[in-house]
Amino acid sequence: MSADPSVQVALVSAGGAVTAALVGVLVELVRRQGRVMGEVRDHVANTHTTNLRDDLDRVVEGMSRVLEGQAHHTEELAHLRREVAHERVERLAVAERLDEHLTRSAPLN
C-alpha cells in the first residue's frame, strides 16, 4: 500500500527536520564536551618543566618525613613528661622529709 505523494513529502521533510535537529544537538554536546575537557586539562596540565607525578611523589615523600619527625618528637615529649613526673615525686619526697625534720627539731608549743 502506497501513501499519497504529499504524505511522503511531509514524512521526508519531517524526518529531515528531526535529523537536522539531532545533528545540531550532537554538535553542541561535542562542543561543550570539548570546552569541559579543555578546562580539565588546564587544571591538571603542568605549565612548568617538572612532571606532575614526580611532584606528587616528592610531596608524599616529604609528608612521610614530617610524620616520622612528628613520631620522634612525640617520643621525646613522652620521655620529658616521665622525667618531670619523676622530679616531681622526688621534690615532694624531699619536702616531706624536710617538714618531718623541722617538726622534730622545733616542735610547736
Side-chain angles (χ1 to χ4, degrees), residues 7 20 30 32 52 82 98 104 106:
V7 172
V30 168
R32 286 182 187 177
L52 180 60
R82 286 190 299 270
L98 181 60
R104 278 183 274 143

Side-chain angles (χ1 to χ4, degrees), residues 32-89:
R32 286 182 187 177
Q33 184 179 16
R35 277 195 304 268
V36 169
M37 292 302 292
E39 290 175 15
V40 169
R41 187 179 313 108
D42 290 343
H43 287 286
V44 298
N46 277 344
T47 56
H48 49 85
T49 58
T50 60
N51 182 290
L52 180 60
R53 182 66 217 190
D54 293 339
D55 293 346
L56 288 174
D57 288 345
R58 279 193 294 279
V59 168
V60 168
E61 182 181 327
M63 289 300 297
S64 294
R65 282 187 297 211
V66 167
L67 292 173
E68 288 171 8
Q70 183 180 2
H72 177 71
H73 291 301
T74 300
E75 290 173 14
E76 287 181 354
L77 285 174
H79 178 71
L80 287 172
R81 286 183 180 136
R82 286 190 299 270
E83 284 184 8
V84 167
H86 179 73
E87 290 294 325
R88 183 180 300 127
V89 168

